[in-house]
Amino acid sequence: MSYSEFDSESEPEQPLSLLLQAIAPKLMLCRIREFEPEDLEACVEIYRSNAPDYLSEEGLEAYIEFLALGTSYYLVIEHDGEIVACGGLELIGDSDTATLVHGMVHGEYHRQGFGTTLLAARLALLECEVRPQEVWVNTTAATLPFYGRFGFAYHSSSGKRPGADEGRASVWMSVDDQDIEDIRYALEERGIKIFLNDPNEDDTEEEE
């Protein structure tokens, strides 16, 4: 199957933002591409490696259903030929809102920079040319410190976004076009490319 290459063409026009200062040093060289049906087993294994410390064992069935239905984007990270992380980005209609969904790193690869790289890759897919984009994550107490270091914060004193699942809190941050350009440039500088499935390409072509 062929992929379209996602990269950046310009250098940052101003000093790195606090977001980039948190992201850039931890980027991990890897290959990032969109999820394909044959990745299901690897993604399920990643989920299981995070249960029950970070994910509920009861949620696995819903996760498998989510993968079967598909979403706006669901990415996998490959390292040394293995899928070590995966996560999605859902764009909410024509609004300036996006949600990071089902982001996880295999338990054997925690604290190596893959979580940060996965976050950066999903943010790099955003377009914020007109107005800043609100990015939401529905997360657990165990992963709140991870998102906090990048500037995600509670929406209100209750820590709950309307509709958030019981036992989970929603956090958010605002990113603008300069943030996105900086992230794309940082990924490119590290040699990290994102390959998106291109339905307009002939599936018989070889990947460049």
Side-chain angles (χ1 to χ4, degrees), residues 134-207:
E134 287 187 5
V135 182
W136 289 86
V137 186
N138 186 22
T139 187
T140 64
T143 54
L144 278 175
F146 171 81
Y147 290 105
R149 73 174 64 112
F150 300 107
F152 283 85
Y154 288 129
H155 177 57
S156 66
S157 59
S158 67
K160 291 284 188 180
R161 184 187 183 196
D165 298 334
E166 193 66 30
R168 300 175 68 88
S170 285
V171 295
W172 76 289
M173 68 181 301
S174 177
V175 295
D176 59 24
D177 190 51
Q178 187 61 54
D179 291 324
I180 303 309
E181 287 301 316
D182 286 352
I183 290 171
R184 292 174 181 174
Y185 179 74
L187 288 167
E188 184 181 23
E189 281 290 282
R190 190 67 179 88
I192 301 169
K193 299 183 184 299
I194 303 171
F195 296 89
L196 301 179
N197 297 342
D198 188 348
N200 296 317
E201 292 287 344
D202 186 344
D203 286 352
T204 62
E205 293 182 2
E206 295 293 330
E207 178 188 343

Side-chain angles (χ1 to χ4, degrees), residues 27-63:
L27 291 176
M28 187 71 178
L29 184 61
C30 59
R31 184 174 186 269
I32 305 173
R33 61 174 176 80
E34 270 196 272
F35 171 87
E36 297 178 347
E38 53 265 36
D39 301 326
L40 175 62
E41 184 176 347
C43 291
V44 168
E45 175 56 31
I46 291 173
Y47 188 103
R48 286 174 171 153
S49 75
N50 284 280
D53 293 337
Y54 297 98
L55 298 169
S56 70
E57 295 175 347
E58 297 78 13
L60 178 57
E61 183 176 348
Y63 174 59

